[in-house]
Amino acid sequence: MPRDTLTLDAPAKVNLALSVGSPDPATGMHPIASWMVAIDFCDAVRLTRAEGGGTFDVVYAADAPRPEPVDWPAERDLGYRAWRMLEARIGRALPTRIAIEKRIPTGAGLGGGSSDAAAVLVGLNDLWDLELSTEALAEVAATLGSDVPFLVHAMRGEPSMVATGLGEVLQPAKLVAPVDLVLVLPDCKCPTGPVYRSFDDRLGGVAREPDAAAVEALVASQPRRSVDGLMNDLAQPAMDATPELADALASMASVVGEDAVRVTGSGSTLFTVVATRGAAEQCVDRLRERGLTAMAAQTLSA
């Protein structure tokens, strides 16, 4: 019997490695090589079969660490766009009430909007028994953003992958054990456009390819207890574009060490790797004493 309602966790992601190439002269798009992992910090996406055209609503959860006004129209939300694009793909309406309860902040480099879109695609597929493969859903996802295909895979049991191309070429990168993280959510956003423009300015027109070999070497080394080897080509451009991020990094570094902080995605979330969940909780307490919004997290397992 078909289900009438489905609720999914939409996980955030962290880039353990992110190497970026110069923009394509024709499209302006940047090729990447990135090790992405999904973590246990999630939005909740609830889908219910409906009559008529359905509805789409977004609110912040009461326990969201950094809530903010939902001041964007539904039509701009990646989750809404995922709904309509899947309808176009299969050629029929999917009348559904979609309610997203957000915890992952926007503009944080954690892929919150992308994960909501992935959850909508996966959820609609299951709710309406469409029987689309992960690859077919990822093809739709690729038109929505570079993180969305990975997050479709993460929700289908592959929470650690290397992404190349524009994020759509994915290879499993199994973690042998969960990684404990501490996240700091600065009170600032890093819009992707200005960050990439800063990256391009730093390149000065020099052509370069993303360093896929370095990312693959990092996967092979299986980092677990420190940030050694973890890298992000967008870290400094993000701080150039958003100076408040540099201030937050300095505050976090004063607690965890100058070389122990990394940036995920195009910012603004900062993270470090710790040995155990207990160590993560202790670190969170020290960071909160400094006035930072901090939380413990852990990578998801397949």
Side-chain angles (χ1 to χ4, degrees):
M1 177 177 291
R3 290 167 289 186
D4 291 328
T5 298
L6 186 63
T7 301
L8 299 175
D9 287 334
K13 62 83 187 173
V14 168
N15 300 85
L16 295 182
L18 176 56
S19 179
V20 182
S22 53
D24 181 273
T27 66
M29 302 295 289
H30 294 75
I32 65 168
S34 181
W35 185 8
M36 300 185 187
V37 296
I39 62 174
D40 61 355
F41 177 35
C42 303
D43 291 345
V45 178
R46 183 179 179 88
L47 306 100
T48 304
R49 288 176 179 250
E51 297 181 0
T55 59
F56 186 88
D57 297 294
V58 180
V59 298
Y60 268 84
D63 61 349
R66 204 185 78 191
E68 57 189 275
V70 179
D71 56 2
W72 59 90
E75 292 76 12
R76 287 182 52 200
D77 194 280
L78 281 179
Y80 180 92
R81 291 169 56 196
W83 177 22
R84 297 312 188 194
M85 293 190 76
L86 188 59
E87 289 181 325
R89 170 66 179 259
I90 65 170
R92 68 179 177 92
L94 299 171
T96 308
R97 292 194 300 274
I98 301 174
I100 298 176
E101 189 177 50
K102 289 194 67 64
R103 293 177 179 83
I104 306 167
T106 60
L110 292 168
S114 296
S115 192
D116 296 341
V120 168
L121 293 173
V122 171
L124 288 172
N125 184 62
D126 293 346
L127 186 70
W128 292 96
D129 298 318
L130 303 180
E131 298 184 351
L132 295 174
S133 67
T134 300
E135 289 70 24
L137 293 174
E139 286 178 11
V140 179
T143 67
L144 294 163
S146 60
D147 292 339
V148 189
F150 162 67
L151 289 158
V152 165
H153 280 266
M155 298 194 69
R156 285 290 189 87
E158 295 181 290
S160 174
M161 305 190 84
V162 170
T164 54
L166 298 178
E168 81 286 6
V169 181
L170 295 163
Q171 293 292 330
K174 186 175 177 60
L175 278 168
V176 298
V179 176
D180 286 290
L181 306 167
V182 174
L183 309 182
V184 165
L185 309 175
D187 191 20
C188 62
K189 297 183 181 183
C190 292
T192 304
V195 173
Y196 272 97
R197 285 194 291 273
S198 177
F199 173 81
D200 292 344
D201 289 344
R202 283 180 163 267
L203 281 184
V206 176
R208 58 172 278 181
E209 296 294 325
D211 192 348
V215 175
E216 292 166 3
L218 181 61
V219 173
S221 73
Q222 289 289 313
R224 286 196 55 205
R225 297 177 181 272
S226 78
V227 298
D228 290 349
L230 306 191
M231 48 89 166
N232 183 349
D233 287 345
L234 296 182
Q236 190 57 55
M239 287 184 279
D240 293 343
T242 309
E244 299 94 326
L245 179 60
D247 296 336
L249 190 149
S251 294
M252 184 177 182
S254 69
V255 173
V256 303
E258 184 175 353
D259 297 323
V261 184
R262 296 294 184 268
V263 177
T264 182
S266 57
S268 61
T269 298
L270 307 169
F271 72 95
T272 193
V273 176
V274 294
T276 65
R277 187 71 175 207
E281 297 291 354
Q282 293 175 6
C283 183
V284 166
D285 289 341
R286 297 198 303 272
L287 291 165
R288 288 176 176 171
E289 289 172 359
R290 296 293 183 98
L292 296 169
T293 300
M295 59 179 292
Q298 191 178 73
T299 58
L300 297 179
S301 299

